[in-house]
Each structure stands twice: as C-alpha cells, then as structure tokens.
Amino acid sequence: MKKNQSNAPIFETVLEHAKKRMVSFHTPGHKNGRSIDKKLLDFTGKKVYYMDVTVFPEVDSLHDPTGCIKQAQELMAKAYRVEHSLFLVNGSSVGNEAMFLSACKPGDSVILSRNIHKSVLGGIILAGIWPIWIQPKIDQNLDVILDAEPDQIAETIKKFPEAKAVFLTSPTYNGVTSDLLEIANICHENNKLLLVDEAHGPHLRFHRDFPISAVEAGADMVVQSIHKILSAMSQGSVLHVNSDNIDINRVKKVVSMLQTTSPNYFILSTIDLARRQAVLHGERLLGQVIQAAEYGRKKINRLKTFTCFTRKDIRSRGYDLDVTKLTINVTKTGLTGLKIEDLLNEEYNVQIDCADIFNLIAIMGIGSTRADVDRLVNALEDIEKKYHGEQKNWNLNLPSLTTEMVLIPRDVFLSREYKRVSLSKSVGHISAQTLTPYPPGIPILIPGERITQEICDYLLELSQKDIRISGQENDALKTIRVVK
Ligand SMILES: Cc1ncc(COP(=O)(O)O)c(C=O)c1O
C-alpha cells in the first residue's frame, strides 16, 4: 500500500501544468500571478500563482472527479481504511453540514452533546433536524467540559428510539476523546448512525500512542480538518464515509451542492501531500510531536501557577487524551487565560489557539518542534515571575441544557417572525437566537428552545462579567430575540 501512497496525484498534475507556463484564458483573473499586488508578490514569489488554476480536464473536477482528484481521494480512503473520502475546500464546517444533509431527512431527530462547533448548528438548521441534546459534564477540578459518555448515549437512545443518528465531537478542543468503540457498538446495536466531528483528529490514525480514531472505531461518517493538525493549507478537510447505511451518491451530491465550483488547487494539492506525508512519515513526525508535547507538559507542571492535565488524568475519568493538545490551567496565576493569551502574543510572539478565563489551549501539529515548546514554556515562566493577579472565585458551570425544544431550529431560522424582549423577562419565550458564551464555549441557547428561569439567570449573571458572548446582538445583552 505504501508504494501507491508515495504518489500525490493532484499535486503532481498541477505542478506539471504549472511548469508549462501556459497562457491563461481561464479564471482566475490574476493570470498566473501577473496582476497580484507587488508587495504580496515580493513576499510569496510568483511561482505559486501558476498553481492557482481552474477546472479543466487535465486537473480534473472536484464535483465530478475522474482523474487526479478521483485517484487522490481513493488514496486518502485507503490511507484511512474507509470506503470513500471526499475532499473539502471549506473546512470541516462544510463537512458537518454535509453529514446532516446526507444522512438525515427533514424532521429526523439526532442525539448530540451540546459541546459542538457552530457549523453543527448550521447543519441542523440546513437539514431541518430535531436535536436531542445530551448535557455535557463539567469537570470542576480540571475546568473543562467532558463530552457524552456511552451510558448517557445508551439512555438517550432508549428514551428517543426514533432518533436517526448520534453525532459526536471527538476529540474536543482540549484533545479529549470519547470511548468511541463502545459508542459505535451502542449505536449500531440500536440501528443508529454514528456521525463524528473529528476535525481535531486527522492524525490519530497515524501513531499508535494516540487514542483510537473515529474511523478506526467504526463511525459511519467522519469529518476531519486535515489543515488543523496535518500539513494541508487552511480549509483543507476531508469527509470519510464508511457505511452500507449511507448512500454515497447522496453524500457526493450534497458535498457538491455546498462547495464552490472554483476550488483552490493549491489547497487540494496540500490535502493530497498531507496524506502522503502522514502515511509515509507520520509515525516518525508525530512521534516527535508527542515527545515535544510531553516534554512541554512536564515542564509546565513544574511551574508554580500553571498546570496541564495528563493522559492519566483524563483516562481516570473514562476518556482518552491526544497529548499534543496542551490545556494549560491558569487559575492559580490570578490572571485570566485571556490576559495571558494577550501577554504571550504581545510580549513573547507566541500565539496559542484559544483561551478563556480558566485555560489556554495550545495546539501542536505535525510541524511543531521542541524549540516551539521551549518558547511557550519560557514565556509562561517569565509571566509567572512578572505578573500577579488577584485570585478569583470563578467556577465553570452550566445550566441544564436538555430543555424543551418547542420548534425545529430551521423553522425558527426561516420564519423571521421575531421580537425583542428584555433578557430578564424572557423566561417562557422561545429563543430565536444562538448564544454561546466563552467559557464554556458551547451554545447556551439555540433557536427553537424554551428559555428557562435557570438559563435566564445564568445569562444575566454572565452579562455582568467580562465574558465574550458570541451571537449577542447588542453589547450588554440587555435584550434577546425571541419568536413572536
Ligand atoms: C470541533 C470542530 N469542528 C469543526 C470545526 C470547523 O472546522 P474548519 O475550520 O475546518 O471548518 C472546528 C473549527 O475550529 C472545530 O473546532
């Protein structure tokens, strides 16, 4: 298999084409880089623009592949040992939407934990799904959210036997993976599809010291951001389909409907190359990243005010951990993660993936090195010496989110029959808004849901604090959009 895997059909085809320096009477309009802004051209060089081509027979079509794209997708499917892999040029966001649209019919219900990326809600709205929510758990010791456990999924399936599928996010932003083998068993014993957002796990399959990936565990459909951890350019993702219960022709139609007809061949080439690299060199390269991450974790845990949970900590809670994600708890510093994120940025030129009050999340990828880790750890050490905040008594908590879904989110989104009410008087109304505070970074209200006293109190309390609330349509969150 490795012999074939040393090919990169899209990259090779596009490169051959680029070398011909052909006169272009097709899109894009920059004409092999000629009209690209000079400053940009000085920075990037000119060659790369010869690879920015459009669809023609030589370079194949993403929407009806018969040549190099077809071959590259087949190599991808072989690399992950799945039946079909479809390339995505709009990230896993489009993959999540495609999973709902291709696996479900309008009005189907899907069981899912609330710990979701916003594109999942997009998929629910587009496909007309009734969501059946599972309450995620908060771990107060680690200040993180843990996703649905197998028992919760089994119980929910029993309660809602009509559900078509179970949707899971694994790994989470923190690198925590669910017991996917057990969950896949539960789903399949009960004739439910298992759909997994594995945006953060395209690398798991390529090193034995990672948790089991969704593709290996037997999920029916899995979306992965090749660009997040492996070496594709941003937007490069893949949708794997591995199930007799999914109509692959429908999936292809849906993916085609959601994607641009002018895919960027540079992105496609890097998806192709990232697969080749992962298959041929993943074990070695990812092994180095694991070592660097564990070295960093140890050093961080030797600092006085920063801690970074370990795989053992997570395993003892019934989950597993991709150790290349460093969740760095900052609560002992007296500063917020957001403040430390700014300091790292401004004073140390170190950029982390995201932060909230409690944690910094540093994501490592196939290109990460031990020297990068040293930069981060040294900066944290310096911050610890220089900055001292006041200890705060903040707790990560969640209101009950398994509330009444009165209307299907799609109907609320499309109807536009809304009015605004004061947040403090919103109890009993049906939300027409999605509100996602950071932390916890999961939607507290979504369209179609009855607003409970508990949720209202929670949002009122958050509105008094310095917390970013995504979806908020006015600064102080004084009013909220509800169904008329
Ligand atoms: C869990 C999860 N799913 C999906 C996505 C969307 O992925 P992409 O950026 O590839 O569209 C993200 C992005 O951050 C994510 O964290």
Side-chain angles (χ1 to χ4, degrees):
M1 144 139 117
K2 283 209 169 172
K3 191 159 165 271
N4 278 341
Q5 292 287 337
S6 60
N7 295 333
I10 302 178
F11 170 66
E12 284 147 13
T13 306
V14 174
L15 187 66
E16 277 316 301
H17 175 83
K19 281 185 193 161
K20 291 182 196 159
R21 299 284 202 262
M22 288 175 94
V23 178
S24 154
F25 281 97
H26 58 68
T27 60
H30 60 68
K31 302 297 163 197
N32 299 325
R34 197 183 290 137
S35 63
I36 293 286
D37 181 273
K38 179 157 179 339
K39 247 190 173 166
L40 177 60
L41 211 54
D42 285 348
F43 186 73
T44 58
K46 197 171 172 192
K47 276 185 181 169
V48 68
Y49 300 101
Y50 279 92
M51 293 185 75
D52 186 18
V53 293
T54 189
V55 180
F56 46 77
E58 186 186 347
V59 294
D60 206 6
S61 158
L62 183 62
H63 292 264
D64 189 14
T66 53
C68 62
I69 296 181
K70 180 169 184 279
Q71 289 162 25
Q73 292 188 150
E74 285 169 0
L75 284 169
M76 182 70 86
K78 278 212 178 98
Y80 283 92
R81 302 204 185 111
V82 295
E83 287 166 32
H84 306 276
S85 299
L86 304 180
F87 286 3
L88 307 173
V89 288
N90 192 16
S92 293
S93 300
V94 84
N96 277 334
E97 291 165 3
M99 285 204 281
F100 286 101
L101 275 166
S102 48
C104 304
K105 295 195 299 293
D108 278 349
S109 49
V110 174
I111 295 170
L112 67 171
S113 169
R114 194 72 165 219
N115 196 10
I116 44 165
H117 183 255
K118 65 200 255 188
S119 57
V120 176
L121 206 49
I124 288 172
I125 288 174
L126 286 173
I129 303 298
W130 278 107
I132 300 170
W133 299 109
I134 294 182
Q135 176 87 8
K137 281 192 317 187
I138 298 271
D139 190 301
Q140 300 283 2
N141 286 324
L142 303 181
D143 293 319
V144 289
I145 292 174
L146 298 172
D147 227 313
E149 287 180 298
D151 283 356
Q152 283 178 294
I153 291 175
E155 255 170 53
T156 315
I157 290 179
K158 225 184 233 164
K159 220 164 137 192
F160 299 95
E162 72 279 14
K164 178 79 190 276
V166 170
F167 181 99
L168 266 192
T169 304
S170 178
T172 62
Y173 276 113
N174 309 91
V176 177
T177 58
S178 297
D179 184 348
L180 291 169
L181 275 174
E182 179 63 16
I183 292 171
N185 271 341
I186 293 170
C187 287
H188 294 149
E189 274 169 12
N190 289 282
N191 292 324
K192 310 293 171 217
L193 295 169
L194 176 60
L195 316 176
V196 182
D197 175 350
E198 198 172 53
H200 287 276
H203 55 309
L204 301 182
R205 156 91 189 75
F206 297 105
H207 199 286
R208 70 183 97 89
D209 291 340
F210 285 132
I212 187 167
S213 67
V215 276
E216 292 165 291
D220 296 271
M221 288 175 105
V222 179
V223 62
Q224 296 175 331
S225 294
I226 304 294
H227 69 93
K228 284 196 198 299
I229 318 288
L230 298 177
S231 55
M233 288 283 150
S234 288
Q235 297 178 218
S237 289
V238 67
L239 175 60
H240 300 294
V241 181
N242 204 26
S243 173
D244 294 339
N245 296 319
I246 304 268
D247 175 0
I248 183 64
N249 288 320
R250 178 163 174 83
V251 183
K252 285 180 180 170
K253 274 192 200 117
V254 166
V255 168
S256 174
M257 188 175 81
L258 295 176
Q259 299 217 85
T260 173
T261 50
S262 305
N264 187 307
Y265 278 79
F266 197 68
I267 297 177
L268 289 173
S269 298
T270 61
I271 300 176
D272 198 17
L273 290 169
R275 181 268 315 150
R276 176 167 86 178
Q277 180 183 56
V279 173
L280 300 185
H281 309 295
E283 180 85 14
R284 177 177 57 81
L285 294 172
L286 292 165
Q288 287 165 3
V289 181
I290 291 171
Q291 273 181 13
E294 289 296 52
Y295 155 83
R297 180 172 272 103
K298 265 198 199 124
K299 288 198 112 181
I300 291 166
N301 281 328
R302 280 194 210 121
L303 298 175
K304 286 194 201 79
T305 53
F306 294 100
T307 51
C308 189
F309 55 69
T310 63
R311 192 169 188 190
K312 196 166 155 215
D313 294 328
I314 296 297
R315 280 183 157 175
S316 70
R317 287 159 169 84
Y319 298 82
D320 204 347
L321 180 69
D322 164 9
V323 297
T324 66
K325 292 237 172 25
L326 301 170
T327 301
I328 304 164
N329 192 290
V330 305
T331 44
K332 283 195 216 147
T333 63
L335 304 169
T336 67
L338 301 161
K339 172 70 186 162
I340 296 173
E341 180 184 31
D342 285 348
L343 290 171
L344 286 169
N345 240 322
E346 287 159 19
E347 296 192 17
Y348 300 90
N349 269 352
V350 172
Q351 185 132 44
I352 50 142
D353 191 68
C354 57
D356 60 32
I357 292 174
F358 308 98
N359 293 309
L360 306 166
I361 301 180
I363 289 184
M364 297 180 63
I366 197 160
S368 295
T369 63
R370 185 182 269 237
D372 296 343
V373 174
D374 276 328
R375 286 280 300 275
L376 172 65
V377 175
N378 292 342
L380 292 176
E381 202 170 352
D382 208 44
I383 288 172
E384 183 171 87
K385 281 185 203 137
K386 282 197 199 147
Y387 297 90
H388 304 279
E390 257 178 50
Q391 288 295 329
K392 292 173 193 69
N393 254 349
W394 281 331
N395 268 331
L396 185 59
N397 57 17
L398 270 182
S400 172
L401 297 170
T402 49
T403 54
E404 189 191 357
M405 285 291 331
V406 189
L407 295 170
I408 205 157
R410 178 194 172 95
D411 291 349
V412 178
F413 184 81
L414 294 180
S415 84
R416 302 198 203 148
E417 300 280 314
Y418 312 136
K419 62 179 180 185
R420 294 202 78 86
V421 296
S422 131
L423 178 59
S424 57
K425 296 207 171 109
S426 64
V427 177
H429 285 281
I430 301 167
S431 174
Q433 239 178 295
T434 305
L435 285 174
T436 309
Y438 290 82
I442 63 176
I444 296 303
L445 263 184
I446 66 154
E449 225 167 22
R450 178 93 65 203
I451 303 172
T452 61
Q453 186 69 54
E454 197 186 346
I455 285 180
C456 176
D457 291 345
Y458 182 82
L459 289 171
L460 280 170
E461 195 188 325
L462 290 189
S463 67
Q464 311 298 318
K465 292 184 182 161
D466 181 22
I467 281 185
R468 182 168 75 84
I469 303 183
S470 157
Q472 180 176 338
E473 292 171 358
N474 53 10
D475 281 350
L477 195 63
K478 291 215 165 62
T479 62
I480 182 164
R481 192 152 46 88
V482 296
V483 172
K484 237 189 215 167

